[in-house]
Amino acid sequence: MSKQKARQDFLDPVRGPVFSVRFVVALVLMVLGIAWIAYYYLVVRVDPTVVPAPEPGNPAFMADLGDWNYLIGFGALMLGLALSAHPSTPLGRGRGVVVGMLGCFLLGLLWICTFYVFSNNIDTIPVFNDLGQFNLVVGISFMAVGFTFATRWE
């Protein structure tokens, strides 16, 4: 006869809660950061290759921010990832630390390698074309967030 599986409790005292307030805030920040970048790139941003240049999309404040929108979006994404490295979140304990750490390291490396491999024809890759040399900052930022996970590794 087989053993019964242990019931997954959302308030497990040993492993900690699955959905803590910090984890929900981290998820919201990550989703908002990605959504901010996608909305700016697809709706608000004026394509520099179109002549004559069309009017920027709405909201107007987002169009006025210009490339600062990428800082806001990537900043929210990185902050959300860094918040999720806390032990009260699933990514901050156990195997989640390794997954978060290696994921951020590999994503940063992939971002930088993609930038270098396609640097002669970067105009065809969305978001990369607007960032230019700041693609290196994005890749290094992913790696820096990976180090926040590495500090939690036991």
Side-chain angles (χ1 to χ4, degrees):
M1 191 169 263
S2 65
K3 293 182 182 179
Q4 288 183 346
K5 283 189 173 182
R7 185 174 59 96
Q8 172 94 23
D9 192 8
F10 287 106
L11 297 174
D12 188 4
V14 176
R15 293 181 46 213
V18 174
F19 288 105
S20 64
V21 174
R22 180 182 293 264
F23 186 57
V24 172
V25 169
L27 284 176
V28 167
L29 278 172
M30 287 185 271
V31 168
L32 282 177
I34 293 169
W36 187 282
I37 293 168
Y39 185 78
Y40 172 71
Y41 190 83
L42 297 173
V43 177
V44 178
R45 175 184 160 269
V46 176
D47 189 4
T49 61
V50 176
V51 177
E55 290 294 316
N58 286 329
F61 79 90
M62 207 170 189
D64 292 340
L65 286 173
D67 287 343
W68 286 97
N69 286 299
Y70 292 114
L71 179 67
I72 294 168
F74 280 115
L77 175 62
M78 300 301 168
L79 182 62
L81 283 169
L83 280 175
S84 69
H86 193 270
S88 68
T89 67
L91 281 176
R93 59 181 180 264
R95 291 186 199 131
V97 174
V98 177
V99 170
M101 178 182 65
L102 291 178
C104 287
F105 285 154
L106 291 174
L107 193 58
L109 180 66
L110 182 66
W111 194 283
I112 292 172
C113 289
T114 303
F115 171 67
Y116 276 125
V117 167
F118 294 104
S119 62
N120 289 336
N121 197 12
I122 201 76
D123 295 334
T124 60
I125 304 175
V127 178
F128 280 79
N129 57 356
D130 283 351
L131 291 175
Q133 292 293 320
F134 287 109
N135 282 302
L136 298 173
V137 174
V138 173
I140 292 169
S141 297
F142 275 116
M143 291 180 186
V145 171
F147 280 110
T148 64
F149 282 100
T151 62
R152 304 288 182 192
W153 193 17
E154 295 177 2

